[in-house]
Amino acid sequence: MTVPADLGPPPPLPAGGLRVLPLGGLGAIGRNMTVFEAEGRLLIVDCGVLFPEADQPGVDLILPDFTPIADRLDDVEAIVLTHGHEDHIGGVPYLLRLKPDIPLVGSRFTLALIEAKLREHRIEPYSLTVREGQAEQLGPFGCEFFAVNHSIPDALAVAIRTAAGTVLHTGDFKMDQLPLDGRLTDLGGFHRIGREGVDLLLSDSTNAEVPGFVTAEREIGPVLDDLFRNATKRIIVASFASHVHRVQQVLDAAHAHGRRVAFVGRSMVRNMGVARDLKLLRIPEGLVVSLDDAASLPPERVVFMSTGSQGEPMSALGRMASRDHRHITIEPGDTIILASSLVPGNESAVYRVINGLARWGANVIHKEVAKVHVSGHAPAGELLYLLNAVRPRNFMPVHGEWRHLQAHARLAGQTGVPDDRIVLCADGDVVDLVDGVARITGHVENHYVYVDGLAVGDVGETALTERRILGDEGFIAVTVVVDEATGKVVGGPFVAARGFADDPTAFDPVLPLIEQALDSAAADGVIEPRQLQQTVRRTVGRWVSDTYRRRPMIVPTVLEV
Amino acid sequence: MTVPADLGPPPPLPAGGLRVLPLGGLGAIGRNMTVFEAEGRLLIVDCGVLFPEADQPGVDLILPDFTPIADRLDDVEAIVLTHGHEDHIGGVPYLLRLKPDIPLVGSRFTLALIEAKLREHRIEPYSLTVREGQAEQLGPFGCEFFAVNHSIPDALAVAIRTAAGTVLHTGDFKMDQLPLDGRLTDLGGFHRIGREGVDLLLSDSTNAEVPGFVTAEREIGPVLDDLFRNATKRIIVASFASHVHRVQQVLDAAHAHGRRVAFVGRSMVRNMGVARDLKLLRIPEGLVVSLDDAASLPPERVVFMSTGSQGEPMSALGRMASRDHRHITIEPGDTIILASSLVPGNESAVYRVINGLARWGANVIHKEVAKVHVSGHAPAGELLYLLNAVRPRNFMPVHGEWRHLQAHARLAGQTGVPDDRIVLCADGDVVDLVDGVARITGHVENHYVYVDGLAVGDVGETALTERRILGDEGFIAVTVVVDEATGKVVGGPFVAARGFADDPTAFDPVLPLIEQALDSAAADGVIEPRQLQQTVRRTVGRWVSDTYRRRPMIVPTVLEV
């Protein structure tokens, strides 16, 4: 296995070769995007967003860096979307802004979700619906689609046949052997294509560190049944708004226990409408009622199926926890079930919501205390099944932080993939498949592209570094007005600070120090505003460090009049 | 069970009553501190710190609010410290700053740790060493100490006998039935005092949501043994610096596999020195070597026992992950074992360290992938044992977030404590035990007291709110100089922004808008700096909202010359 090395730009792709350029999804869970190049044409698989962590404050979304393909969008045959999760489709509107007529290829549910999202961006895409078993020639890329089981319906893996060989990209998957909809991951198909010969396998690494196998989704049913049986007041279930099978089990439990269900939260209402139309969600006649109707039912006759399972403070559940929801006020004895994962980084937010709900007397059930969630990603045991079915000549773990990619590489090694055929790489690394061997041949620049409000890319590492300092320490701004000709102070020093201390008199001691420093600068003949600003910065910086052992941002302004 | 209510200050404590005032530890895990009052005298149990979360940026520590007892420090008989963890002793230096001669009562190891900490604060405390089985009369408080098993040696529970009745405070505990040092939680003692009659039980709620029983600490031994057997290069183990038994097992595994051990990190070196002196840590002759000596040993002959298990970037392990450690450079094939808990809120930091180490080719083992950690807190099964042993007349769950307290209250109810004898309360609530009944009688103000650098308490909710805004959105400062007499603009507008955008020309479009707004204010005869500042704020705020959909802090300054 490789360790980080300085790589330059890649050489030209040899004729008959296949280039693989991951623009996201390696080193972090999210913004999955892989670009394939053959015969001068490009095929993109997925185009997702990454959600920011605490060290990316104020950022709404993180996009893949489209720069390496920005001047080649005319070469793109299509964007294949493996499934409808945000970390696989969320970047599409931003890419289509650059060129709206790139065709989208995906399953019915996947396309329905991305089309709904694109409507909000006022983009009407060209799209091609495909299903498992189907093959489509997209320029030089011969694509074949395989059913995979995941925490959203209608997910696909894609095999890509090119002159350079065959690539299999699993997308996100697991191998639930008793899936709720009977749609198994097509292990038989993977065996078949493995026999034909797979030159490069790209496979989901999210759970590669986790030993064993996932519990079947349907085992959550009896747990819900039990919780519903014992609930005496209202039941509120929170889950991802795209987890149709989880919602199905909630509907079934509600039906069995004589409760009506109301969908709560914009994305839940929208997605379940889509799922119902596509017959992916079976809703017994009369089961689902409006929020208003639900509010008028007796507590023991109602279930609210809500968004907010990741602790988002403005979500439906977040508002209930802070007693700020328009329709639903938590009462002692209500049962709340977080039938969802706990995405790393969201723990504090989720526990804040749980504590808020518990404070009002609700009984909150989450995955740490009852089996109300199973993962959507294959753990090590299932990844071994896949590797043994495909027996790839080269292997490239994708979709994971470095620890996950490394664990997955180790599994591949254990199944017999030679060490030098395991390509462990980072976003922006260029992998060329030539003469049956996949190898890192270079690196292209790859940045996080931040979306903040309406703007894309204007917030970069400089602004984020400043935000981190400001957020931890606040700032002290000092303004001085000097005479343009003489450099003599005619106004100020005036101190304004935010985020430093609650006491507004805290800066009284530093004012005379600043005046003194400016006086002695003047005595030395210093009248340049830039130099005076340095004087102010040094004086205030030393004072605050000596007095407080802190390092707030110091913003000196010397104005000439 | 109760829901939040507005409570006023408590009435005077009736003669013969016992007052319990929790100043920390309820609603959050940390800053544990309980004040007991009887016959006009006070006894404090624990005085810990809470570590800040993401919404308390830049804060180093959070202390209990000492205000309710600040003018009664002369009444304090002693501070009983149940064990040596920071969340139980970390606040002591700040309390002793107010009155250095309050006696500290605790076990040998607990006192050794707090004394080392107090030396850094240049305080030499009065201390009284106690051990399990011992009884001490502290004013009107008859204290008896019981052995409890926890993730630090020498932890104690304390029973407090007063005229109003007997209180049992467990401190933090679990009931490992095969503890490494043979020192069992004194369940027999709890049965005995239960028979005598316990009027109020305060018990550790941290794991009340977790079903079942803890795995024995000694079961980690074989797991370490296995990892050590398979390691071919260096081994680095990270753990809490006070977890003597965990370190003991690492030493034993190293000894068995012919490796020497070096302690890494200031607190690890200091605490293991203390533990060795007190014969709590058995170190085979010649096993422990200096860091320099270890660096010169072959990789397969060395173990580094390090701090940094919570992802702290400046800790020994954090520096190794960023290749910034003076002595230790991670190489492919090194084995790193995080034999530690993952404290909620630290997940992102810990995974960042794991990914950093994995990126350099290390094999990182953590509790999600191997049984290298067990909790120090009793889960539900063990809490039931305690409740059934003590059979308290009144029960008050402590040490936990609201969800933990609520789960613990439910367990108490299941063992037969009547609902109206379960006191579920928040920090600052006043609980009076009178005539055998414990009841919330009032509430005293209770704030988080923030330590930031050298200052205690100067950063409050205002500064934190400003930091949160600054950290998410940055600020835009606009300075204008006006003539004092006429209000005419003689300098500026000058814009300085930080944390807003990387592009320094971003503000060019707003300058003419500000000038225009000031002109029209002047035309309306507005010359007051305050009003002009409002004009600037409104103009910039509207522009930034329309253009960016963002809400940075806007800091207008209008200076008169």
Side-chain angles (χ1 to χ4, degrees):
Chain A
M1 274 178 263
T2 50
V3 296
D6 286 329
L7 290 167
L13 178 64
L18 173 71
R19 177 158 287 177
V20 185
L21 172 58
L23 293 183
L26 306 187
I29 299 211
R31 67 165 201 158
N32 295 291
M33 179 171 182
T34 313
V35 181
F36 295 89
E37 175 177 2
E39 301 175 34
R41 303 294 291 170
L42 306 177
L43 181 75
I44 296 172
V45 174
D46 289 331
C47 181
V49 295
L50 173 67
F51 293 101
E53 293 212 42
D55 63 339
Q56 290 142 342
V59 170
D60 299 326
L61 296 172
I62 303 171
L63 300 179
D65 187 346
F66 302 140
T67 316
I69 57 164
D71 60 355
R72 297 192 58 190
L73 295 181
D74 288 339
D75 299 334
V76 179
E77 294 288 345
I79 306 171
V80 172
L81 301 171
T82 58
H83 62 281
H85 280 152
E86 285 298 307
D87 56 336
H88 291 256
I89 67 168
V92 170
Y94 299 91
L95 185 55
L96 290 198
R97 272 194 205 172
L98 306 179
K99 188 165 194 293
D101 62 354
I102 303 175
L104 304 181
V105 179
S107 67
R108 283 209 305 165
F109 191 56
T110 304
L111 290 180
L113 293 186
I114 184 63
E115 281 162 6
K117 177 177 285 292
L118 286 168
R119 266 194 293 280
E120 291 171 12
H121 288 260
R122 287 158 214 230
I123 299 175
E124 201 181 320
Y126 291 79
S127 58
L128 170 67
T129 306
V130 293
R131 46 172 296 136
E132 51 267 31
Q134 191 169 336
E136 288 289 338
Q137 190 70 33
L138 302 166
F141 307 98
C143 295
E144 181 182 349
F145 299 94
F146 297 83
V148 291
N149 172 248
H150 186 40
S151 46
I152 188 170
D154 231 7
L156 294 170
V158 57
I160 306 167
R161 292 187 173 85
T162 68
T166 299
V167 177
L168 177 64
H169 192 316
T170 64
D172 286 353
F173 79 104
K174 63 174 170 177
M175 295 208 261
D176 189 335
Q177 293 302 301
L178 296 169
L180 219 61
D181 59 0
R183 186 175 176 272
L184 289 157
T185 290
D186 186 5
L187 191 58
F190 295 148
H191 274 283
R192 171 179 56 78
I193 195 170
R195 275 194 308 275
E196 294 169 23
V198 169
D199 296 285
L200 176 63
L201 171 66
L202 285 73
S203 175
D204 175 13
S205 309
T206 310
N207 272 346
E209 282 189 311
V210 180
F213 297 81
V214 286
T215 305
E217 170 71 26
R218 67 173 66 217
E219 290 193 22
I220 292 172
V223 180
L224 290 176
D225 196 65
D226 204 44
L227 293 169
F228 276 51
R229 183 173 307 112
N230 292 317
T232 54
K233 301 279 184 72
R234 288 178 306 182
I235 295 174
I236 298 160
V237 186
S239 176
F240 276 116
S242 59
H243 204 321
V244 176
H245 296 160
R246 191 69 43 83
V247 173
Q248 182 71 60
Q249 300 204 86
V250 174
L251 297 186
D252 294 348
H255 192 54
H257 292 278
R259 289 177 182 255
R260 301 289 173 91
V261 178
F263 293 123
V264 189
R266 206 166 55 99
S267 55
M268 185 64 76
V269 171
R270 187 189 63 194
N271 292 358
M272 291 310 130
V274 171
R276 177 186 209 161
D277 293 347
L278 295 180
K279 302 205 173 11
L280 297 166
L281 190 70
R282 300 179 316 274
I283 306 183
E285 187 65 33
L287 182 74
V288 170
V289 297
S290 73
L291 205 47
D292 279 335
D293 286 353
S296 66
L297 288 169
E300 71 279 10
R301 288 280 152 254
V302 68
V303 176
F304 295 100
M305 182 69 237
S306 174
T307 57
S309 66
Q310 295 305 309
E312 307 91 329
M314 305 308 281
S315 68
L317 195 69
R319 287 179 184 278
M320 292 178 216
S322 52
R323 279 223 163 164
D324 189 27
H325 194 277
R326 264 194 312 153
H327 293 89
I328 304 168
T329 307
I330 300 298
E331 303 286 350
D334 286 346
T335 298
I336 293 158
I337 305 169
L338 275 79
S340 50
S341 68
L342 212 178
V343 175
N346 294 349
E347 294 85 355
S348 301
V350 170
Y351 289 129
R352 186 167 306 130
V353 165
I354 293 175
N355 284 318
L357 296 165
R359 192 87 181 85
W360 302 113
N363 181 18
V364 188
I365 312 295
H366 52 95
K367 76 183 183 97
E368 307 291 319
V369 300
K371 193 77 187 168
V372 291
H373 174 71
V374 298
S375 173
H377 300 273
E382 300 178 13
L383 295 176
L384 291 172
Y385 269 77
L386 181 86
L387 283 157
N388 284 329
V390 177
R391 307 206 74 78
R393 301 202 177 93
N394 298 274
F395 176 65
M396 177 174 162
V398 295
H399 302 179
E401 300 170 16
W402 200 260
R403 62 195 171 108
H404 306 121
L405 303 179
Q406 195 204 40
H408 203 176
R410 217 173 280 129
L411 293 174
Q414 288 168 352
T415 63
V417 182
D419 238 31
D420 60 351
R421 298 296 175 88
I422 297 173
V423 187
L424 200 55
C425 61
D427 290 337
D429 285 352
V430 177
V431 177
D432 288 343
L433 176 67
V434 178
D435 298 331
V437 178
R439 189 171 283 144
I440 300 178
T441 59
H443 183 84
V444 296
E445 268 199 75
N446 184 282
H447 299 286
Y448 277 0
V449 175
Y450 300 108
V451 179
D452 185 359
L454 295 179
V456 177
D458 76 319
V459 169
E461 298 309 329
T462 305
L464 287 187
T465 301
E466 290 171 351
R467 285 183 186 179
R468 286 190 281 262
I469 297 170
L470 290 168
D472 274 356
E473 306 270 359
F475 73 86
I476 303 175
V478 181
T479 308
V480 182
V481 186
V482 297
D483 183 279
E484 196 173 0
T486 63
K488 192 171 154 340
V489 175
V490 295
F494 180 82
V495 177
R498 299 285 191 283
F500 182 76
D502 283 13
D503 176 7
T505 68
F507 303 99
D508 292 352
V510 77
L511 286 174
L513 301 180
I514 300 171
E515 282 164 17
Q516 208 176 306
L518 289 171
D519 283 350
S520 84
D524 295 345
V526 176
I527 62 164
E528 259 296 298
R530 268 180 177 285
Q531 288 175 284
L532 293 174
Q533 282 180 187
Q534 281 307 328
T535 303
V536 170
R537 188 195 306 276
R538 260 199 314 274
T539 307
V540 178
R542 198 179 301 132
W543 171 78
V544 78
S545 168
D546 291 350
T547 316
Y548 289 92
R549 285 285 148 75
R550 295 189 202 157
R551 295 172 60 89
M553 191 177 276
I554 295 163
V555 187
T557 305
V558 174
L559 288 177
E560 294 181 310
V561 294
Chain B
M1 275 181 262
T2 49
V3 296
D6 286 331
L7 289 165
L13 178 65
L18 173 71
R19 175 159 288 179
V20 185
L21 172 58
L23 293 184
L26 306 187
I29 298 212
R31 71 163 199 160
N32 295 290
M33 179 171 183
T34 314
V35 181
F36 295 89
E37 174 175 4
E39 300 174 34
R41 303 293 291 171
L42 306 177
L43 181 75
I44 296 172
V45 175
D46 290 329
C47 182
V49 294
L50 173 66
F51 293 101
E53 293 211 43
D55 63 339
Q56 290 140 344
V59 169
D60 300 326
L61 296 171
I62 303 170
L63 300 179
D65 186 345
F66 301 141
T67 316
I69 57 165
D71 60 352
R72 296 193 55 192
L73 295 181
D74 288 339
D75 299 335
V76 178
E77 293 287 347
I79 306 171
V80 172
L81 300 171
T82 58
H83 63 282
H85 279 154
E86 285 298 307
D87 57 334
H88 291 257
I89 67 169
V92 169
Y94 299 91
L95 185 56
L96 290 197
R97 271 193 206 173
L98 306 179
K99 189 165 193 290
D101 63 353
I102 303 175
L104 304 181
V105 180
S107 67
R108 282 208 306 164
F109 190 57
T110 305
L111 290 179
L113 293 187
I114 184 64
E115 281 162 6
K117 177 178 285 291
L118 286 167
R119 268 194 292 280
E120 292 170 12
H121 287 260
R122 287 158 215 233
I123 298 174
E124 202 182 319
Y126 291 79
S127 58
L128 170 67
T129 306
V130 293
R131 46 172 296 136
E132 50 266 34
Q134 192 170 333
E136 286 290 339
Q137 191 69 32
L138 302 166
F141 307 97
C143 295
E144 182 183 349
F145 300 94
F146 297 83
V148 290
N149 173 248
H150 186 40
S151 47
I152 188 171
D154 233 6
L156 294 170
V158 56
I160 306 166
R161 293 187 173 82
T162 68
T166 298
V167 176
L168 176 64
H169 191 316
T170 64
D172 286 352
F173 80 103
K174 62 175 170 177
M175 295 207 260
D176 190 336
Q177 293 302 299
L178 295 168
L180 219 61
D181 60 359
R183 185 175 177 273
L184 289 158
T185 290
D186 186 5
L187 192 57
F190 294 148
H191 273 284
R192 170 178 55 77
I193 196 171
R195 277 195 306 275
E196 293 169 17
V198 169
D199 297 284
L200 176 63
L201 171 66
L202 285 73
S203 176
D204 175 12
S205 309
T206 310
N207 273 346
E209 280 189 312
V210 180
F213 297 81
V214 285
T215 305
E217 171 70 26
R218 66 173 67 216
E219 290 194 22
I220 292 172
V223 180
L224 290 176
D225 197 64
D226 204 44
L227 292 169
F228 276 50
R229 182 174 308 113
N230 292 317
T232 54
K233 301 279 183 72
R234 290 177 305 182
I235 296 174
I236 298 160
V237 186
S239 176
F240 275 116
S242 59
H243 203 321
V244 177
H245 295 160
R246 189 68 45 82
V247 173
Q248 182 71 61
Q249 300 205 86
V250 174
L251 298 184
D252 294 348
H255 192 53
H257 293 277
R259 289 176 181 255
R260 302 289 174 88
V261 178
F263 293 124
V264 189
R266 207 166 54 100
S267 55
M268 184 64 74
V269 172
R270 187 189 64 195
N271 291 358
M272 291 310 129
V274 171
R276 176 185 208 161
D277 293 347
L278 294 180
K279 302 203 174 10
L280 296 168
L281 189 70
R282 301 179 316 275
I283 305 183
E285 187 65 31
L287 182 74
V288 169
V289 297
S290 73
L291 205 46
D292 280 334
D293 287 352
S296 66
L297 287 169
E300 70 279 10
R301 288 280 153 257
V302 68
V303 175
F304 295 100
M305 182 69 236
S306 173
T307 55
S309 66
Q310 294 307 307
E312 307 90 331
M314 304 308 282
S315 68
L317 195 68
R319 286 179 184 280
M320 293 178 217
S322 53
R323 280 223 163 163
D324 189 28
H325 193 277
R326 265 194 311 152
H327 293 89
I328 304 168
T329 307
I330 300 297
E331 303 286 350
D334 286 346
T335 298
I336 293 158
I337 305 169
L338 275 81
S340 50
S341 67
L342 212 178
V343 175
N346 295 349
E347 293 86 355
S348 301
V350 169
Y351 288 128
R352 187 167 303 131
V353 165
I354 293 175
N355 284 318
L357 296 164
R359 192 87 180 85
W360 302 113
N363 182 16
V364 188
I365 313 293
H366 53 94
K367 77 182 182 97
E368 306 290 320
V369 299
K371 194 77 187 170
V372 291
H373 174 71
V374 297
S375 173
H377 300 272
E382 300 179 12
L383 296 175
L384 291 171
Y385 269 77
L386 181 88
L387 283 157
N388 284 329
V390 177
R391 307 207 73 79
R393 299 200 180 94
N394 298 273
F395 176 65
M396 177 173 160
V398 295
H399 301 180
E401 300 170 17
W402 199 261
R403 61 195 172 109
H404 306 121
L405 304 179
Q406 194 205 39
H408 204 176
R410 216 174 281 130
L411 293 174
Q414 287 167 353
T415 64
V417 182
D419 238 32
D420 60 351
R421 297 297 175 88
I422 297 174
V423 187
L424 199 56
C425 60
D427 291 337
D429 285 352
V430 177
V431 177
D432 289 343
L433 176 66
V434 178
D435 298 332
V437 178
R439 190 171 283 146
I440 300 177
T441 58
H443 182 84
V444 297
E445 267 200 74
N446 184 281
H447 298 286
Y448 276 1
V449 176
Y450 300 109
V451 179
D452 184 0
L454 295 178
V456 178
D458 76 318
V459 170
E461 298 308 329
T462 305
L464 287 187
T465 301
E466 291 172 350
R467 285 183 186 179
R468 285 190 283 262
I469 296 170
L470 289 168
D472 275 355
E473 306 269 359
F475 72 86
I476 302 174
V478 181
T479 309
V480 181
V481 187
V482 296
D483 183 277
E484 196 172 2
T486 64
K488 192 173 153 344
V489 175
V490 295
F494 180 82
V495 177
R498 298 286 191 282
F500 182 76
D502 283 13
D503 176 7
T505 68
F507 303 100
D508 291 352
V510 77
L511 285 174
L513 301 180
I514 301 171
E515 281 164 18
Q516 205 176 308
L518 289 171
D519 283 350
S520 86
D524 295 347
V526 176
I527 60 164
E528 259 297 298
R530 269 179 177 284
Q531 286 175 284
L532 293 174
Q533 284 179 186
Q534 281 307 328
T535 301
V536 171
R537 189 194 306 276
R538 259 201 314 272
T539 306
V540 178
R542 197 177 303 132
W543 172 77
V544 78
S545 168
D546 290 350
T547 316
Y548 291 91
R549 284 287 147 74
R550 297 189 201 155
R551 295 172 60 89
M553 191 176 277
I554 294 163
V555 187
T557 306
V558 174
L559 288 178
E560 294 181 311
V561 294

